[in-house]
């Protein structure tokens, strides 16, 4: 037993003859922020899809707190404590900000259809708890998602606030681990700085363990306890941001063989 909250052991996934993930070992420990980097096509989003049950790996095992989650349906994995956001925003745009967060919280309710129709005391208590949970999760994001915004439709939010709302919705699942897929994508420098601080706050104040995919190296440098670099589905480097960013294999993956030769020449 490694003691990792999330552990991938020799995980492989292919589509036809294309190996998208190949023999990947990965660990994320409690209250740790691990960033996954790599060029386009490295297998990063497929990694998230495999962890969350969208795809089943051909080989290997995925353990959450020591128990295998391979083969479980995505909604079961979510209930086990794995929540994610997406590279492309997937909000309920015609629902209000608060309703978007409440929609995730319903995953933890026990009342069925009959109790909801009859409005039993237990169902009413759960409904109050869901409203309170949604308000607490939104309050974590400060003025950006507070007050009058609760009753606004999600489509009325700015792009950056939609990103925040998607993260708030994911935290309403009360996850053991939070998977963030390019949370800073499409943001300007000021917004990127704010999302970097937010991810740190999610760990430090919110108590979340986080696995994040990110292309912006300023974000990766600012948040990461460890960095894992992928290329064509293989792990080519792992360590601190500086160790990974200066790895010849990482430089080659991002910039090609010429850049590697130039980097080696400068090192000499």
């Amino acid at each position: 037993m490694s003691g990792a909250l999330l552990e991938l052991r020799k995980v492989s996934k292919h589509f036809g003859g294309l190996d998208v993930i190949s023999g990947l070992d990965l660990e994320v420990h409690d209250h740790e922020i691990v960033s996954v980097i790599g060029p386009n096509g490295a297998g990063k989003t497929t990694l998230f899809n495999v962890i969350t049950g969208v795809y089943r790996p051909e080989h290997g095992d995925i353990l959450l707190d020591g128990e295998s989650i391979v083969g479980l349906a995505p909604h079961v994995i979510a209930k086990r404590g794995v929540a994610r956001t997406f590279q492309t925003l997937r909000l309920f745009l015609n629902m209000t900000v608060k309703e978007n967060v409440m929609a995730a919280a319903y995953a933890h309710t026990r009342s069925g259809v009959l109790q909801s129709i009859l409005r039993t005391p237990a169902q009413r208590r759960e409904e109050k708890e869901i409203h309170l949970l949604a308000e607490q999760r939104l309050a974590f994001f400060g003025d950006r998602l507070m007050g009058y915004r609760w009753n606004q439709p999600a489509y009325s939010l700015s792009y950056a606030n939609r990103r925040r709302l998607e993260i708030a919705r994911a935290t309403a699942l009360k996850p053991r681990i939070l998977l963030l897929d390019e949370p800073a994508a499409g943001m300007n420098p000021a917004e990127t700085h704010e999302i970097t601080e937010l991810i740190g706050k999610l760990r430090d104040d919110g108590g979340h363990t986080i696995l994040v995919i990110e292309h912006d190296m300023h974000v990766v440098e600012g948040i990461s306890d460890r960095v894992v670099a992928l290329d064509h589905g293989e792990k080519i480097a792992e360590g601190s941001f500086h160790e990974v960013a200066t790895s010849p294999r990482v430089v080659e993956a991002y910039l090609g063989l010429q850049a590697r030769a130039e980097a080696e020449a400068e090192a000499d």
Side-chain angles (χ1 to χ4, degrees):
M1 295 293 291
S2 68
L5 176 59
L6 178 71
E7 182 180 5
L8 279 70
R9 296 178 178 174
K10 305 298 181 185
V11 170
S12 296
K13 177 63 185 175
H14 64 257
F15 298 102
L18 178 64
D19 291 326
V20 183
I21 298 177
S22 181
L24 180 62
D25 291 319
L26 177 66
E27 292 185 357
V28 183
H29 294 267
D30 203 26
H31 292 104
E32 188 177 30
I33 299 177
V34 176
S35 294
V36 178
I37 66 171
N40 291 332
K44 303 183 297 299
T45 296
T46 299
L47 168 63
F48 274 21
N49 287 335
V50 167
I51 293 171
T52 55
V54 177
Y55 301 142
R56 180 168 183 159
E58 275 77 34
H59 304 287
D61 202 0
I62 302 171
L63 306 177
L64 181 65
D65 209 12
E67 296 186 5
S68 178
I69 57 174
V70 170
L72 298 180
H75 72 276
V76 176
I77 293 175
K79 285 188 175 182
R80 291 279 183 98
V82 181
R84 71 175 293 184
T85 64
F86 294 85
Q87 184 176 351
T88 303
L89 285 168
R90 299 189 184 181
L91 296 173
F92 303 112
L93 293 177
N94 289 317
M95 291 169 59
T96 68
V97 168
K98 186 176 177 182
E99 286 170 344
N100 265 272
V101 181
M102 290 173 62
Y106 280 113
H108 297 286
T109 59
R110 294 173 296 278
S111 297
V113 175
L114 182 60
Q115 292 94 327
S116 298
I117 293 173
L118 297 176
R119 297 287 292 167
T120 62
Q123 191 276 335
R124 293 198 301 270
R125 283 195 301 272
E126 282 192 334
E127 191 75 16
K128 289 180 181 178
E129 292 170 0
I130 288 171
H131 277 272
L132 180 59
L133 175 62
E135 291 168 5
Q136 290 172 341
R137 291 298 184 262
L138 290 167
F140 186 86
F141 293 79
D143 294 339
R144 298 289 190 178
L145 296 177
M146 283 293 288
Y148 70 94
R149 293 190 189 277
W150 287 356
N151 296 318
Q152 286 186 322
Y155 68 74
S156 68
L157 296 178
S158 68
Y159 176 80
N161 281 338
R162 291 185 189 187
R163 283 281 180 192
R164 293 182 179 95
L165 177 56
E166 190 176 40
I167 296 172
R169 185 178 63 184
T171 64
L173 282 167
K174 302 179 182 178
R176 301 289 311 284
I177 185 167
L178 185 60
L179 278 55
L180 305 179
D181 194 346
E182 297 193 31
M187 293 188 178
N188 62 41
E191 292 167 341
T192 298
H193 177 72
E194 289 181 4
I195 205 71
T196 303
E197 292 184 335
L198 172 62
I199 294 170
K201 184 181 176 185
L202 284 166
R203 192 269 304 276
D204 297 336
D205 298 341
H208 292 288
T209 302
I210 301 172
L211 180 64
V212 57
I213 294 170
E214 186 52 63
H215 279 295
D216 191 313
M217 291 300 105
H218 294 293
V219 176
V220 174
E221 183 178 15
I223 63 173
S224 305
D225 296 308
R226 281 187 297 117
V227 179
V228 174
L230 301 182
D231 186 31
H232 294 95
E234 295 185 359
K235 181 165 63 176
I236 58 174
E238 180 176 4
S240 68
F241 173 80
H242 178 73
E243 290 169 341
V244 172
T246 57
S247 165
R249 292 192 68 188
V250 174
V251 173
E252 178 184 331
Y254 272 98
L255 302 176
L257 292 171
Q258 182 178 355
R260 178 177 178 177
E262 292 174 354
E264 291 175 347
E266 289 179 1
D268 294 339

